[in-house]
Amino acid sequence: MKNIFDLEIQNSSLDGKITAGFERLSQVFRVLLWEKAKNHDLSPIQIQVLIFLKHHSKNKATVSYMAKEFNLTKATVSDTVRILEKKSYITKSVNENDSRSYAIELTAKGLEMVLLTEDFTDPLFDLIRMVPENEKNVLWKNISSIVEQLHTLQVINVQSTCRNCGYFLQQNDGNYCQLMNIKLETNDIKLDCIDHKPVRL
Ligand code: SF4
C-alpha cells in the first residue's frame, strides 16, 4: 500500500512527504498558467505551444515533436495548432520536402502574446534564485536524476536532454559533452539543449 494521499502514510516518512510535495508543486504551474490563460482568452496548452515555438528551432516546431514534449496525443496538439492558426497567432506552411508535414511559425501577434505570458513561471523562479548555490546543486542533481528515471520508465518524455544526446559520453571519471569538449558537472547537465543531437537507434 503506497497511497501518499493517505495522511498516515504521507506523514510517516520523508518519502511520502516529498512525493506529496512534488504533487503540490505540479499544481503551481497549472494555477499560474490558468491565470494567464484566463486573462488572454487562451487555454494553457495554447500558451505553452506559443512559448515553445518562440524558443525552439523550426525542425522541432512539428505536431509530433510537441506532442511528445507536452506528453499529449498528436490529435490534441493538432487541434491546438488549428485553433491558434484560426486566431492568427501562428501560420502553417507545407514542408517542401514532405507534403504530409508542415512548418509552424509564430506571427507578430503570436510573438506579442508570448511576451505577455512567458513570465508565468516567475513566482517559482524568483524563489529558486534565492536558494544558496550549494543547495541548488543538490536540488538540480536530484531533480535531473528523477526526471531521467521517469523518462526511462516511460512516464514522461524528455527529448533534448544530455543523457539522450549523441554528444554525451559517460566515462569512469564522469560525464562529457563532446560538442563543447567539456566535463559535465551537475550544473552543466541540461534538460532542454539547443545543440542536442538525437541518437540514431
Ligand atoms: S550538446 Fe547539449 S545536450 Fe548534448 S551533451 Fe552537450 S550540453 Fe548535453
Side-chain angles (χ1 to χ4, degrees):
M1 180 67 172
K2 292 193 286 187
N3 179 6
I4 57 114
F5 297 106
D6 177 325
L7 296 186
E8 265 185 41
I9 293 175
Q10 185 186 122
N11 292 320
S12 65
S13 72
L14 263 183
D15 304 349
K17 284 182 239 177
I18 290 171
T19 308
F22 275 119
E23 199 271 335
R24 288 295 168 103
L25 283 177
S26 74
Q27 295 177 17
V28 171
F29 297 101
R30 196 154 40 88
V31 168
L32 294 172
L33 251 179
W34 265 114
E35 196 58 31
K36 291 282 183 186
K38 212 169 51 191
N39 292 341
H40 297 288
D41 196 24
L42 289 169
S43 70
I45 185 60
Q46 287 166 7
I47 292 180
Q48 284 175 294
V49 165
L50 292 177
I51 295 173
F52 180 91
L53 291 173
K54 179 183 170 213
H55 297 287
H56 291 83
S57 55
K58 273 189 186 169
N59 61 329
K60 292 181 179 174
T62 65
V63 167
S64 311
Y65 192 96
M66 289 192 283
K68 275 194 178 172
E69 187 72 13
F70 296 117
N71 294 285
L72 295 169
T73 63
K74 282 191 205 172
T76 303
V77 175
S78 218
D79 205 38
T80 302
V81 165
R82 188 181 52 78
I83 296 167
L84 287 172
E85 187 186 25
K86 208 168 157 198
K87 291 183 173 180
S88 307
Y89 288 117
I90 59 164
T91 55
K92 286 190 319 192
S93 51
V94 176
N95 188 330
E96 284 170 11
N97 305 318
D98 179 2
S99 59
R100 290 164 306 171
S101 71
Y102 47 80
I104 306 166
E105 278 183 78
L106 280 181
T107 59
K109 185 181 170 189
L111 182 60
E112 212 174 291
M113 184 52 69
V114 173
L115 298 177
L116 291 170
T117 53
E118 66 181 345
D119 62 352
F120 79 92
T121 55
D122 275 7
L124 187 59
F125 192 37
D126 291 343
L127 286 177
I128 298 289
R129 283 200 303 210
M130 281 156 39
V131 175
E133 210 58 32
N134 57 338
E135 288 180 28
K136 273 193 280 208
N137 262 308
V138 176
L139 194 57
W140 179 232
K141 187 174 180 186
N142 286 309
I143 288 176
S144 55
S145 163
I146 290 169
V147 168
E148 188 194 329
Q149 288 173 66
L150 288 169
H151 173 72
T152 307
L153 291 170
Q154 299 184 340
V155 176
I156 51 167
N157 290 307
V158 193
Q159 302 188 90
S160 300
T161 185
C162 289
R163 301 260 174 207
N164 62 8
C165 174
Y167 295 120
F168 184 76
L169 182 66
Q170 193 167 29
Q171 291 195 327
N172 290 339
D173 63 338
N175 302 318
Y176 292 83
C177 171
Q178 296 175 92
L179 177 69
M180 294 189 285
N181 213 10
I182 56 162
K183 186 173 181 184
L184 293 168
E185 303 299 342
T186 298
N187 58 359
D188 296 317
I189 296 287
K190 293 179 183 167
L191 193 59
D192 191 0
C193 176
I194 205 163
D195 297 313
H196 179 269
K197 182 166 91 168
V199 182
R200 300 262 171 256
L201 296 173

